[in-house]
Amino acid sequence: MELTKISVRQISGVSALKEGELHAFGVFTVNDLLEYYPFRYEDYRLRSLSEVKDGDKVTVQAKVFGIPVLQRYGKKSRLTCKMMADEWMFNATWFNRHFLKDQLTPGREITLTGKWDLKRQQMTVSESEFPDKGTVRSGTLQPVYSVGGKITQAWMRKTMNQALAQFGGMISEVLPPELVQKYKLMPRSRAIQRIHQPLDSEEGQQARRRMVYEELFLFQLKLQAYRAMNQERMDGVRHEVDNATVREFVRSLPFELTDAQKKVELEILKDMRSPYCMNRLLQGDVGSGKTVIAAIALYAAVKSGYQGAFMVPTEILAEQHVRSLTKLFEPFGITVGLLTGSVNGRKRKDLLASLQMGMIDIVVGTHALIQEDVFFRALSLVVTDEQHRFGVNQRSILRRKGFNPDVLTMTATPIPRTLAITAFGDMDVSTISERPKGRKPISTYWVKTDMMDRVLGFISREIGEGRQAYLICPLIEESDKLDVQNAIDLYVAMQQAFPHFKVGLLHGRMSAAEKDEVMRAFYANEVQLLVSTTVVEVGVDVPNATLMVIMDADRFGLSQLHQLRGRVGRGEHASYCVLMADPKSEVGQERMKVMTETDDGFEVARRDLELRGPGDFFGTKQSGVPEFRIADMVGDYAVLEAARDDAAALVAGEAFWTSPVYAPLRQYLQAEQILQGELID
Ligand code: ADP
Ligand code: MG
């Protein structure tokens, strides 16, 4: 019987009630419990008072020396007693442990853990044990678990010991012997034992190292096996489009592709022409020209006789893409449709019918686009963004509709390599590593909020030279309504400040038609200054805009600031970003510094990760970044990379799929539903 199949109820001392409480921690089986690792250790190793600094927490072996004195204050109490440890005499003090008084008989041995006050030669005791009653903790490192509800630390420790005693012998190795050897890892059974009961910190470290590797290896194995099997599947669409046809379109573009763009274009076309199902991530800094790459892929799909879908996060962006794609594709007779939440009624019906009949080649829209009641004549390519990353569910919805399209995922945020191979390890990655030539760097300034007059002067100067500007309102997180009011107030103030310019307003509460009209006017330079909330954050492309002013910039995260800044610097004119902020926190100041020091998105992302930690990086759980039990994505990055290479090499070999040595790993993949032919998210 495997430990993954034995319920925690089988551990003696685990009642139905406690079992229920354990479920709240995601612990169902004995294996789950054994993998419920401590997040640190409490040091109960015995020390001598002669080596202890003032204020340290310490455990000492002592003898009761004097007569205990108990003072009561209502329900509270204070117990003091003279103690002797080695040659040291000191006072031990307990709070609210009146019941100990009778047990403190002179000469009795006692183990005390507490905080040492050097000046007063006194210890405030937090835990005490009598060796004559059988000791549990003293002399050891004790694990500290994350606990709560009816599960106490003491209960958890006891239960873990019980589980190890009962089931420790059944822990079997999962890692292949060559990898255990390669990294000199502890065998699994000893590592699990020692992670809960380390004899010393070195051993605890070794146990942890082993379990970190295992966790990262198994995680990568899932991704790599999924990838390998996906590549075996030959049921993707084989796009047949020749180079001459593609070149014709590329030549029609108003610019020449950068070398980096050409490289990723080839990678994508190669995938599309193959019978394998493409699952590729396209990443590149803001303004590096990802959209045109998406356009080439969509063009190739249509020219092969199929349809494409382009999913984007906002309606504004959907409308922008429809406009620009229509312009690019019109000469080639390719039709583009728009499908968002605000397309409804008759218009929506017509659009759905055209899609189904194949009268529309490309549809741009928000997420609903590929679900619901939407049918295609022949969908073969889906371009989407990071937030709408394709999981199993979407793929299987499409399969059920009879499609198995190639998928191209674009990231709006450059992702540090660390996270890329973790969150997107199942994908192939294409990176646009340079921005189009002739782009000038964006000069970024950080000014105090009382410099509004000078900022207004700056806006006036840029617009006077024929350029356009964005003014991003402070973000008011608590209240959508206040947010909007704020934007409106600022809009009114700007109209007064700039009577000679046209000022526009954009916020999330406007109707789609209103937003569309404002954006259209801004594209057309009928509006010169756009006062906006962060709705313009992603993707908006107005090359003539050269100034981005962000108010209360310290309220925004780094990647968001970088995205906002990316709205300028998209044409041949020098561009500027002004951050207005008086950050009080150190992190806030650091963010402003990062922004003024670099405009390289990968560098910004790296610094962001440092400041925030990986947990916060993507904001939401659905981003695909897994939560590890023991590994730390940043700290254990080197292990993660090694594990990925090991897993990839393993699944590439024939032996992995056939040899009995790897049976435990294959079973694991089966349990994780990867080997059934079903896909993972
Ligand atoms: P992003 O990677 O942020 O999505 P876009 O695709 O919006 O970037 O491109 C930014 C701007 O650069 C757009 O105006 C686009 O037309 C332009 N552009 C894209 N590729 C090139 C190129 N090779 N040379 C010059 N301009 C380009
Ligand atoms: Mg293909």
Side-chain angles (χ1 to χ4, degrees):
M1 186 83 156
E2 287 165 60
L3 295 180
T4 50
K5 300 212 176 91
I6 302 176
S7 155
V8 279
R9 269 310 284 286
Q10 302 300 313
I11 301 168
S12 60
V14 178
S15 60
L17 189 76
K18 285 290 199 306
E19 181 190 16
E21 296 270 328
L22 284 173
H23 287 181
F25 297 121
V27 171
F28 295 85
T29 67
V30 173
N31 189 68
D32 292 338
L33 186 73
L34 292 176
E35 289 186 358
Y36 198 76
Y37 304 120
F39 60 89
R40 66 180 178 88
Y41 300 99
E42 196 99 68
D43 193 346
Y44 290 99
R45 284 174 297 180
L46 296 177
R47 290 166 69 190
S48 158
L49 284 175
S50 59
E51 62 187 43
V52 179
K53 288 202 298 292
D54 183 48
D56 273 7
K57 198 177 170 199
V58 63
T59 300
V60 294
Q61 193 73 53
K63 253 191 192 135
V64 179
F65 196 70
I67 307 293
V69 178
L70 179 66
Q71 292 163 288
R72 282 182 185 266
Y73 318 88
K75 279 189 178 158
K76 302 197 166 143
S77 72
R78 173 195 165 107
L79 179 67
T80 49
C81 186
K82 282 223 167 351
M83 296 283 168
M84 184 73 110
D86 305 327
E87 299 303 299
W88 290 64
M89 177 123 77
F90 65 96
N91 268 317
T93 305
W94 284 261
F95 290 98
N96 310 320
R97 290 283 184 281
H98 55 87
F99 49 85
L100 282 175
K101 183 172 179 248
D102 296 338
Q103 303 179 35
L104 297 176
T105 49
R108 192 174 182 191
E109 290 259 357
I110 185 167
T111 311
L112 300 170
T113 301
K115 199 172 157 189
W116 179 238
D117 181 336
L118 185 66
K119 225 171 39 220
R120 293 165 56 208
Q121 296 285 298
Q122 192 253 49
M123 178 188 280
T124 305
V125 180
S126 50
E127 292 167 75
S128 48
E129 286 183 320
F130 296 99
D132 55 16
K133 280 206 207 158
T135 53
V136 188
R137 292 185 294 269
S138 41
T140 63
L141 289 172
Q142 284 293 314
V144 181
Y145 299 97
S146 160
V147 292
K150 293 208 165 57
I151 307 275
T152 63
Q153 200 61 249
W155 186 88
M156 197 62 155
R157 286 175 183 165
K158 198 179 81 195
T159 306
M160 199 63 83
N161 289 348
Q162 180 60 35
L164 285 164
Q166 253 178 284
F167 297 102
M170 290 169 65
I171 300 172
S172 55
E173 186 55 80
V174 292
L175 291 177
E178 68 268 22
L179 291 176
V180 173
Q181 185 118 65
K182 179 174 172 190
Y183 298 109
K184 305 213 171 5
L185 299 173
M186 260 186 202
R188 186 168 210 271
S189 57
R190 187 145 68 91
I192 288 194
Q193 180 98 22
R194 288 313 178 201
I195 213 159
H196 295 292
Q197 308 170 333
L199 294 182
D200 56 45
S201 4
E202 165 61 18
E203 201 180 32
Q205 281 308 314
Q206 288 299 330
R208 181 181 183 278
R209 186 172 72 91
R210 142 83 208 203
M211 298 316 295
V212 165
Y213 178 81
E214 173 183 315
E215 181 168 48
L216 294 175
F217 173 79
L218 291 179
F219 169 70
Q220 284 294 337
L221 187 71
K222 276 197 289 194
L223 297 180
Q224 300 302 332
Y226 167 60
R227 223 168 109 164
M229 290 185 327
N230 202 42
Q231 279 171 2
E232 300 265 293
R233 300 179 71 117
M234 306 278 267
D235 56 358
V237 175
R238 193 193 289 264
H239 291 92
E240 282 169 20
V241 59
D242 58 37
N243 285 334
T245 311
V246 177
R247 231 177 293 129
E248 203 185 331
F249 175 65
V250 172
R251 237 183 314 177
S252 78
L253 295 170
F255 44 72
E256 215 191 308
L257 293 184
T258 62
D259 290 344
Q261 282 172 319
K262 285 182 194 152
K263 192 181 118 240
V264 305
E265 177 208 351
L266 288 180
E267 287 168 354
I268 291 165
L269 286 176
K270 184 163 172 257
D271 278 1
M272 288 180 67
R273 284 170 176 146
S274 83
Y276 311 120
C277 204
M278 174 164 81
N279 186 20
R280 186 171 282 278
L281 177 76
L282 175 58
Q283 68 167 348
D285 203 351
V286 271
S288 61
K290 295 182 288 287
T291 314
V292 70
I293 298 298
I296 295 171
L298 290 166
Y299 170 89
V302 174
K303 285 292 172 181
S304 308
Y306 297 92
Q307 290 167 299
F310 195 168
M311 275 203 298
V312 298
T314 66
E315 295 198 355
I316 289 180
L317 198 52
E319 278 151 17
Q320 171 182 298
H321 284 328
V322 166
R323 245 192 313 266
S324 59
L325 291 180
T326 304
K327 213 160 86 193
L328 292 176
F329 289 148
E330 221 157 36
F332 299 91
I334 295 173
T335 50
V336 182
L338 172 71
L339 184 55
T340 61
S342 31
V343 175
N344 35 39
R346 175 90 237 153
K347 254 174 129 179
R348 180 180 163 86
K349 259 205 189 116
D350 286 351
L351 185 97
L352 293 185
S354 316
L355 265 182
Q356 192 158 14
M357 288 187 294
M359 282 155 59
I360 283 183
D361 300 311
I362 290 166
V363 64
V364 182
T366 42
H367 199 38
L369 176 61
I370 51 113
Q371 298 180 323
E372 293 180 9
D373 49 349
V374 184
F375 288 89
F376 294 83
R377 184 183 61 76
L379 178 70
S380 75
L381 176 69
V382 177
V383 180
T384 182
D385 64 283
E386 179 193 319
Q387 275 126 49
H388 295 147
R389 185 177 173 212
F390 253 46
V392 193
N393 294 343
Q394 284 88 34
R395 276 193 192 267
S396 59
I397 288 170
L398 288 176
R399 284 234 177 85
R400 257 177 272 136
K401 291 187 187 182
F403 306 112
N404 193 15
D406 287 345
V407 176
L408 182 64
T409 304
M410 304 205 287
T411 61
T413 325
I415 301 164
R417 261 170 64 71
T418 329
L419 295 184
I421 68 169
T422 316
F424 302 105
D426 56 330
M427 298 183 179
D428 296 305
V429 179
S430 287
T431 304
I432 305 183
S433 50
E434 61 176 340
R435 292 190 211 174
K437 283 185 206 64
R439 289 283 168 79
K440 302 197 177 66
I442 303 166
S443 312
T444 302
Y445 306 101
W446 166 24
V447 303
K448 298 268 145 45
T449 50
D450 59 13
M451 308 248 296
M452 194 62 190
D453 282 349
R454 300 209 15 210
V455 172
L456 292 180
F458 198 178
I459 294 175
S460 178
R461 196 194 79 191
E462 278 300 296
I463 297 180
E465 287 179 11
R467 306 284 82 78
Q468 290 163 275
Y470 298 93
L471 178 58
I472 305 297
C473 317
L475 177 79
I476 301 176
E477 279 161 38
E478 311 83 63
S479 157
D480 194 25
K481 214 163 139 195
L482 273 182
D483 228 9
V484 170
Q485 191 51 51
N486 220 2
I488 294 171
D489 292 347
L490 194 61
Y491 168 64
V492 172
M494 289 303 112
Q495 279 180 315
Q496 282 160 1
F498 300 115
H500 306 299
F501 304 139
K502 187 112 195 324
V503 182
L505 171 66
L506 193 67
H507 62 71
R509 285 279 184 93
M510 289 162 62
S511 75
E514 288 169 326
K515 282 190 229 167
D516 195 28
E517 172 50 27
V518 174
M519 280 318 293
R520 190 205 55 74
F522 194 57
Y523 284 117
N525 198 0
E526 287 162 21
V527 161
Q528 287 80 42
L529 175 64
L530 185 61
V531 174
S532 173
T533 57
T534 54
V535 288
V536 297
E537 180 187 339
V538 183
V540 168
D541 184 38
V542 180
N544 190 49
T546 53
L547 176 57
M548 165 64 67
V549 179
I550 305 172
M551 299 184 70
D552 281 359
D554 54 324
R555 296 203 185 193
F556 299 96
L558 262 182
S559 66
Q560 203 174 12
L561 288 172
H562 184 68
Q563 276 304 318
L564 285 168
R565 174 169 61 181
R567 294 317 106 217
V568 298
R570 305 174 80 84
E572 79 255 43
H573 303 287
S575 292
Y576 309 91
C577 174
V578 177
L579 308 168
M580 303 188 70
D582 304 317
K584 287 180 189 67
S585 73
E586 225 170 280
V587 173
Q589 291 171 10
E590 192 58 32
R591 279 196 214 131
M592 296 306 110
K593 263 182 63 195
V594 172
M595 287 295 290
T596 53
E597 282 167 13
T598 180
D599 72 344
D600 173 348
F602 287 91
E603 178 62 14
V604 170
R606 197 185 62 73
R607 303 275 290 267
D608 197 14
L609 185 62
E610 257 173 31
L611 285 176
R612 287 205 278 172
D616 280 351
F617 192 79
F618 286 94
T620 57
K621 275 194 176 179
Q622 51 172 316
S623 61
V625 178
E627 284 182 65
F628 293 119
R629 286 172 188 263
I630 188 166
D632 162 22
M633 236 183 315
V634 179
D636 296 317
Y637 174 58
V639 183
L640 180 64
E641 273 207 318
R644 190 232 3 228
D645 294 346
D646 294 333
L650 191 63
V651 299
E654 184 63 31
F656 176 76
W657 306 95
T658 52
S659 159
V661 177
Y662 301 111
L665 288 179
R666 290 199 301 271
Q667 265 159 28
Y668 165 78
L669 290 178
Q670 203 155 23
E672 295 285 315
Q673 302 196 321
I674 298 194
L675 270 190
Q676 242 96 54
E678 243 334 302
L679 309 166
I680 54 158
D681 195 357

